[in-house]
Amino acid sequence: MAQLLEQSKKVIEAQLNGTSLRAISGSMIAYEGNVQFKSAGFGGGDGVLAGMKRRATGEKLSLMECQGHGRVFFAVNGQDVTVVDLNNETLQVESQQLLAFAGNLRTDVRFAGVSGASSGQGLFTTTVSGQGQVALLSAGGPLIHLEVSPQYPLIVDPDAFVAARGNVQSSFITDMSWRTVVGQDAGEAFQIRWDGQGVVLIQPAER
């Protein structure tokens, strides 16, 4: 399968040897070798449901497939990049933070919303399952890895959430005035609570 490497803090290098990978459209910044690019549609299946998901999440999630022999480099707006290896696991990713993925992986998009929320930020996650590699984006610096255990659930700002792995479940806390406290008076303030056993990856800057 294609190999994903952190070429620098802000650039992912994909090594193709007759293999292919999928990446967010518009993220390729350079390539060398005999590589073909084509639209891969949307990472969530076909049909009416996928069309609804596409409209809901916008065109940022449109994918391209890169196939052939050579090296391809990816970056998005100077954000930091991280490669995560999956070994028959599932990674839940904030859809805007997904850069590329390679291997025997399946993707789907799910809506994890709060009733009445209208901002659309942090409500759609892409699940990536199987064996392979996933390249993630983070704003403001490298990803921060925070452990979740049954004794210590984790509360996360939805704008800071990037990904979660392990046996973890999310729920929403809406009865808090935390945004007002920190000077961000949003009408639909909520936080994401993570329970279970695993790791949550957050970024040090908000979307």
Side-chain angles (χ1 to χ4, degrees), residues 85-114:
D85 296 307
L86 294 183
N87 185 17
N88 293 319
E89 301 170 85
T90 296
L91 187 71
Q92 303 176 53
V93 186
E94 156 58 45
S95 297
Q96 297 180 41
Q97 308 304 126
L98 180 64
L99 175 57
F101 49 97
N104 185 20
L105 296 171
R106 303 173 305 279
T107 62
D108 194 18
V109 177
R110 68 182 182 89
F111 178 73
V114 175

mmCIF file of all heavy atoms in Angstrom, residues 85-114:
data_model
loop_
_atom_site.group_PDB
_atom_site.id
_atom_site.type_symbol
_atom_site.label_atom_id
_atom_site.label_comp_id
_atom_site.label_asym_id
_atom_site.label_seq_id
_atom_site.Cartn_x
_atom_site.Cartn_y
_atom_site.Cartn_z
ATOM 1 N N ASP A 85 -1.267 5.543 12.455
ATOM 2 C CA ASP A 85 -1.356 4.173 11.948
ATOM 3 C C ASP A 85 -2.548 3.462 12.573
ATOM 4 O O ASP A 85 -2.713 3.480 13.794
ATOM 5 C CB ASP A 85 -0.071 3.394 12.270
ATOM 6 C CG ASP A 85 1.151 3.966 11.568
ATOM 7 O OD1 ASP A 85 1.089 4.121 10.332
ATOM 8 O OD2 ASP A 85 2.149 4.260 12.245
ATOM 9 N N LEU A 86 -3.364 2.832 11.732
ATOM 10 C CA LEU A 86 -4.518 2.078 12.214
ATOM 11 C C LEU A 86 -4.292 0.594 11.952
ATOM 12 O O LEU A 86 -3.918 0.205 10.840
ATOM 13 C CB LEU A 86 -5.797 2.530 11.501
ATOM 14 C CG LEU A 86 -6.284 3.957 11.765
ATOM 15 C CD1 LEU A 86 -7.598 4.195 11.038
ATOM 16 C CD2 LEU A 86 -6.429 4.224 13.250
ATOM 17 N N ASN A 87 -4.513 -0.230 12.969
ATOM 18 C CA ASN A 87 -4.380 -1.676 12.855
ATOM 19 C C ASN A 87 -5.724 -2.314 13.197
ATOM 20 O O ASN A 87 -5.971 -2.702 14.334
ATOM 21 C CB ASN A 87 -3.275 -2.195 13.775
ATOM 22 C CG ASN A 87 -3.022 -3.680 13.595
ATOM 23 O OD1 ASN A 87 -3.428 -4.255 12.597
ATOM 24 N ND2 ASN A 87 -2.377 -4.289 14.568
ATOM 25 N N ASN A 88 -6.583 -2.361 12.168
ATOM 26 C CA ASN A 88 -7.948 -2.857 12.355
ATOM 27 C C ASN A 88 -8.648 -2.094 13.469
ATOM 28 O O ASN A 88 -9.250 -2.680 14.376
ATOM 29 C CB ASN A 88 -7.944 -4.366 12.629
ATOM 30 C CG ASN A 88 -7.473 -5.163 11.427
ATOM 31 O OD1 ASN A 88 -7.848 -4.853 10.291
ATOM 32 N ND2 ASN A 88 -6.643 -6.157 11.652
ATOM 33 N N GLU A 89 -8.531 -0.789 13.413
ATOM 34 C CA GLU A 89 -9.153 0.108 14.390
ATOM 35 C C GLU A 89 -10.063 1.085 13.666
ATOM 36 O O GLU A 89 -10.080 1.157 12.438
ATOM 37 C CB GLU A 89 -8.075 0.906 15.138
ATOM 38 C CG GLU A 89 -7.060 0.088 15.895
ATOM 39 C CD GLU A 89 -5.926 0.973 16.386
ATOM 40 O OE1 GLU A 89 -6.086 1.573 17.459
ATOM 41 O OE2 GLU A 89 -4.915 1.072 15.685
ATOM 42 N N THR A 90 -10.779 1.859 14.458
ATOM 43 C CA THR A 90 -11.612 2.931 13.922
ATOM 44 C C THR A 90 -11.154 4.263 14.504
ATOM 45 O O THR A 90 -10.945 4.380 15.706
ATOM 46 C CB THR A 90 -13.098 2.709 14.258
ATOM 47 O OG1 THR A 90 -13.555 1.522 13.605
ATOM 48 C CG2 THR A 90 -13.947 3.888 13.785
ATOM 49 N N LEU A 91 -10.983 5.233 13.630
ATOM 50 C CA LEU A 91 -10.610 6.588 14.033
ATOM 51 C C LEU A 91 -11.774 7.517 13.707
ATOM 52 O O LEU A 91 -12.277 7.518 12.572
ATOM 53 C CB LEU A 91 -9.346 7.022 13.287
ATOM 54 C CG LEU A 91 -8.706 8.344 13.696
ATOM 55 C CD1 LEU A 91 -8.059 8.224 15.072
ATOM 56 C CD2 LEU A 91 -7.670 8.782 12.665
ATOM 57 N N GLN A 92 -12.214 8.283 14.698
ATOM 58 C CA GLN A 92 -13.241 9.295 14.469
ATOM 59 C C GLN A 92 -12.545 10.631 14.255
ATOM 60 O O GLN A 92 -11.810 11.089 15.116
ATOM 61 C CB GLN A 92 -14.176 9.386 15.676
ATOM 62 C CG GLN A 92 -14.863 8.085 16.040
ATOM 63 C CD GLN A 92 -15.699 8.211 17.296
ATOM 64 O OE1 GLN A 92 -16.549 9.100 17.410
ATOM 65 N NE2 GLN A 92 -15.470 7.337 18.264
ATOM 66 N N VAL A 93 -12.767 11.245 13.106
ATOM 67 C CA VAL A 93 -12.037 12.456 12.732
ATOM 68 C C VAL A 93 -13.013 13.587 12.461
ATOM 69 O O VAL A 93 -14.000 13.404 11.732
ATOM 70 C CB VAL A 93 -11.175 12.222 11.461
ATOM 71 C CG1 VAL A 93 -10.308 13.450 11.174
ATOM 72 C CG2 VAL A 93 -10.305 10.984 11.613
ATOM 73 N N GLU A 94 -12.736 14.749 13.035
ATOM 74 C CA GLU A 94 -13.459 15.956 12.630
ATOM 75 C C GLU A 94 -13.218 16.134 11.130
ATOM 76 O O GLU A 94 -12.080 16.166 10.653
ATOM 77 C CB GLU A 94 -12.942 17.158 13.421
ATOM 78 C CG GLU A 94 -13.137 18.511 12.763
ATOM 79 C CD GLU A 94 -14.578 18.847 12.443
ATOM 80 O OE1 GLU A 94 -15.448 18.625 13.295
ATOM 81 O OE2 GLU A 94 -14.825 19.349 11.330
ATOM 82 N N SER A 95 -14.298 16.220 10.364
ATOM 83 C CA SER A 95 -14.182 16.102 8.915
ATOM 84 C C SER A 95 -13.227 17.120 8.288
ATOM 85 O O SER A 95 -12.535 16.811 7.314
ATOM 86 C CB SER A 95 -15.574 16.221 8.286
ATOM 87 O OG SER A 95 -16.400 15.158 8.729
ATOM 88 N N GLN A 96 -13.149 18.314 8.835
ATOM 89 C CA GLN A 96 -12.273 19.338 8.265
ATOM 90 C C GLN A 96 -10.792 19.077 8.546
ATOM 91 O O GLN A 96 -9.939 19.734 7.962
ATOM 92 C CB GLN A 96 -12.652 20.715 8.814
ATOM 93 C CG GLN A 96 -14.053 21.169 8.442
ATOM 94 C CD GLN A 96 -14.360 22.538 9.021
ATOM 95 O OE1 GLN A 96 -13.528 23.426 9.024
ATOM 96 N NE2 GLN A 96 -15.580 22.705 9.506
ATOM 97 N N GLN A 97 -10.491 18.136 9.432
ATOM 98 C CA GLN A 97 -9.092 17.901 9.815
ATOM 99 C C GLN A 97 -8.491 16.673 9.120
ATOM 100 O O GLN A 97 -7.356 16.310 9.386
ATOM 101 C CB GLN A 97 -8.981 17.714 11.329
ATOM 102 C CG GLN A 97 -9.624 18.824 12.150
ATOM 103 C CD GLN A 97 -9.092 20.201 11.825
ATOM 104 O OE1 GLN A 97 -9.852 21.100 11.515
ATOM 105 N NE2 GLN A 97 -7.791 20.375 11.888
ATOM 106 N N LEU A 98 -9.240 16.053 8.238
ATOM 107 C CA LEU A 98 -8.753 14.882 7.516
ATOM 108 C C LEU A 98 -7.997 15.341 6.270
ATOM 109 O O LEU A 98 -8.520 16.103 5.463
ATOM 110 C CB LEU A 98 -9.930 13.991 7.128
ATOM 111 C CG LEU A 98 -9.614 12.709 6.372
ATOM 112 C CD1 LEU A 98 -8.787 11.767 7.223
ATOM 113 C CD2 LEU A 98 -10.917 12.033 5.937
ATOM 114 N N LEU A 99 -6.750 14.875 6.099
ATOM 115 C CA LEU A 99 -5.938 15.269 4.943
ATOM 116 C C LEU A 99 -5.839 14.151 3.917
ATOM 117 O O LEU A 99 -6.086 14.366 2.723
ATOM 118 C CB LEU A 99 -4.543 15.693 5.408
ATOM 119 C CG LEU A 99 -3.522 16.028 4.306
ATOM 120 C CD1 LEU A 99 -4.043 17.123 3.383
ATOM 121 C CD2 LEU A 99 -2.182 16.414 4.920
ATOM 122 N N ALA A 100 -5.433 12.948 4.334
ATOM 123 C CA ALA A 100 -5.243 11.845 3.388
ATOM 124 C C ALA A 100 -5.326 10.526 4.135
ATOM 125 O O ALA A 100 -5.132 10.469 5.349
ATOM 126 C CB ALA A 100 -3.894 11.971 2.681
ATOM 127 N N PHE A 101 -5.598 9.437 3.390
ATOM 128 C CA PHE A 101 -5.576 8.119 4.002
ATOM 129 C C PHE A 101 -5.238 7.077 2.948
ATOM 130 O O PHE A 101 -5.565 7.220 1.770
ATOM 131 C CB PHE A 101 -6.888 7.792 4.725
ATOM 132 C CG PHE A 101 -8.145 8.043 3.927
ATOM 133 C CD1 PHE A 101 -8.765 7.013 3.240
ATOM 134 C CD2 PHE A 101 -8.707 9.304 3.888
ATOM 135 C CE1 PHE A 101 -9.918 7.234 2.519
ATOM 136 C CE2 PHE A 101 -9.873 9.542 3.167
ATOM 137 C CZ PHE A 101 -10.475 8.497 2.472
ATOM 138 N N ALA A 102 -4.529 6.028 3.405
ATOM 139 C CA ALA A 102 -4.047 4.988 2.504
ATOM 140 C C ALA A 102 -4.154 3.644 3.195
ATOM 141 O O ALA A 102 -3.981 3.543 4.411
ATOM 142 C CB ALA A 102 -2.587 5.257 2.108
ATOM 143 N N GLY A 103 -4.418 2.601 2.407
ATOM 144 C CA GLY A 103 -4.507 1.257 2.956
ATOM 145 C C GLY A 103 -5.882 0.669 2.753
ATOM 146 O O GLY A 103 -6.697 1.173 1.955
ATOM 147 N N ASN A 104 -6.162 -0.389 3.482
ATOM 148 C CA ASN A 104 -7.454 -1.061 3.402
ATOM 149 C C ASN A 104 -8.405 -0.409 4.399
ATOM 150 O O ASN A 104 -8.650 -0.940 5.488
ATOM 151 C CB ASN A 104 -7.283 -2.555 3.692
ATOM 152 C CG ASN A 104 -8.569 -3.335 3.510
ATOM 153 O OD1 ASN A 104 -9.487 -2.886 2.831
ATOM 154 N ND2 ASN A 104 -8.651 -4.491 4.146
ATOM 155 N N LEU A 105 -8.897 0.763 4.034
ATOM 156 C CA LEU A 105 -9.678 1.578 4.955
ATOM 157 C C LEU A 105 -11.056 1.889 4.373
ATOM 158 O O LEU A 105 -11.210 2.102 3.175
ATOM 159 C CB LEU A 105 -8.950 2.894 5.253
ATOM 160 C CG LEU A 105 -7.609 2.778 5.981
ATOM 161 C CD1 LEU A 105 -6.902 4.123 6.013
ATOM 162 C CD2 LEU A 105 -7.821 2.251 7.399
ATOM 163 N N ARG A 106 -12.035 1.920 5.235
ATOM 164 C CA ARG A 106 -13.387 2.311 4.865
ATOM 165 C C ARG A 106 -13.702 3.645 5.546
ATOM 166 O O ARG A 106 -13.285 3.880 6.678
ATOM 167 C CB ARG A 106 -14.407 1.258 5.326
ATOM 168 C CG ARG A 106 -14.156 -0.132 4.793
ATOM 169 C CD ARG A 106 -15.094 -1.162 5.422
ATOM 170 N NE ARG A 106 -15.022 -1.160 6.885
ATOM 171 C CZ ARG A 106 -14.072 -1.772 7.580
ATOM 172 N NH1 ARG A 106 -13.076 -2.391 6.946
ATOM 173 N NH2 ARG A 106 -14.086 -1.742 8.892
ATOM 174 N N THR A 107 -14.464 4.473 4.877
ATOM 175 C CA THR A 107 -14.834 5.762 5.466
ATOM 176 C C THR A 107 -16.348 5.925 5.447
ATOM 177 O O THR A 107 -17.043 5.401 4.581
ATOM 178 C CB THR A 107 -14.208 6.947 4.699
ATOM 179 O OG1 THR A 107 -14.694 6.950 3.347
ATOM 180 C CG2 THR A 107 -12.696 6.842 4.682
ATOM 181 N N ASP A 108 -16.824 6.655 6.422
ATOM 182 C CA ASP A 108 -18.223 7.052 6.446
ATOM 183 C C ASP A 108 -18.309 8.359 7.214
ATOM 184 O O ASP A 108 -17.432 8.689 8.016
ATOM 185 C CB ASP A 108 -19.102 5.989 7.106
ATOM 186 C CG ASP A 108 -20.586 6.232 6.843
ATOM 187 O OD1 ASP A 108 -20.904 6.988 5.902
ATOM 188 O OD2 ASP A 108 -21.425 5.676 7.563
ATOM 189 N N VAL A 109 -19.358 9.099 6.968
ATOM 190 C CA VAL A 109 -19.574 10.368 7.657
ATOM 191 C C VAL A 109 -20.828 10.245 8.491
ATOM 192 O O VAL A 109 -21.847 9.734 8.040
ATOM 193 C CB VAL A 109 -19.733 11.531 6.648
ATOM 194 C CG1 VAL A 109 -20.026 12.829 7.381
ATOM 195 C CG2 VAL A 109 -18.478 11.669 5.801
ATOM 196 N N ARG A 110 -20.716 10.685 9.743
ATOM 197 C CA ARG A 110 -21.900 10.635 10.595
ATOM 198 C C ARG A 110 -22.132 12.004 11.210
ATOM 199 O O ARG A 110 -21.206 12.782 11.436
ATOM 200 C CB ARG A 110 -21.753 9.574 11.686
ATOM 201 C CG ARG A 110 -20.709 9.865 12.734
ATOM 202 C CD ARG A 110 -20.611 8.715 13.730
ATOM 203 N NE ARG A 110 -19.646 8.992 14.789
ATOM 204 C CZ ARG A 110 -19.949 9.602 15.930
ATOM 205 N NH1 ARG A 110 -21.177 10.014 16.167
ATOM 206 N NH2 ARG A 110 -19.018 9.800 16.854
ATOM 207 N N PHE A 111 -23.401 12.269 11.460
ATOM 208 C CA PHE A 111 -23.788 13.529 12.081
ATOM 209 C C PHE A 111 -23.947 13.308 13.571
ATOM 210 O O PHE A 111 -24.683 12.423 13.994
ATOM 211 C CB PHE A 111 -25.104 14.022 11.487
ATOM 212 C CG PHE A 111 -25.602 15.296 12.115
ATOM 213 C CD1 PHE A 111 -24.989 16.511 11.847
ATOM 214 C CD2 PHE A 111 -26.682 15.270 12.968
ATOM 215 C CE1 PHE A 111 -25.448 17.689 12.421
ATOM 216 C CE2 PHE A 111 -27.143 16.450 13.552
ATOM 217 C CZ PHE A 111 -26.524 17.647 13.265
ATOM 218 N N ALA A 112 -23.207 14.078 14.352
ATOM 219 C CA ALA A 112 -23.315 14.015 15.811
ATOM 220 C C ALA A 112 -23.677 15.412 16.280
ATOM 221 O O ALA A 112 -22.824 16.199 16.672
ATOM 222 C CB ALA A 112 -22.006 13.547 16.431
ATOM 223 N N GLY A 113 -24.936 15.737 16.179
ATOM 224 C CA GLY A 113 -25.340 17.124 16.348
ATOM 225 C C GLY A 113 -26.037 17.405 17.656
ATOM 226 O O GLY A 113 -26.401 16.513 18.404
ATOM 227 N N VAL A 114 -26.207 18.672 17.907
ATOM 228 C CA VAL A 114 -26.955 19.151 19.052
ATOM 229 C C VAL A 114 -28.247 19.770 18.530
ATOM 230 O O VAL A 114 -28.225 20.552 17.580
ATOM 231 C CB VAL A 114 -26.143 20.199 19.840
ATOM 232 C CG1 VAL A 114 -26.982 20.788 20.960
ATOM 233 C CG2 VAL A 114 -24.883 19.579 20.389
#
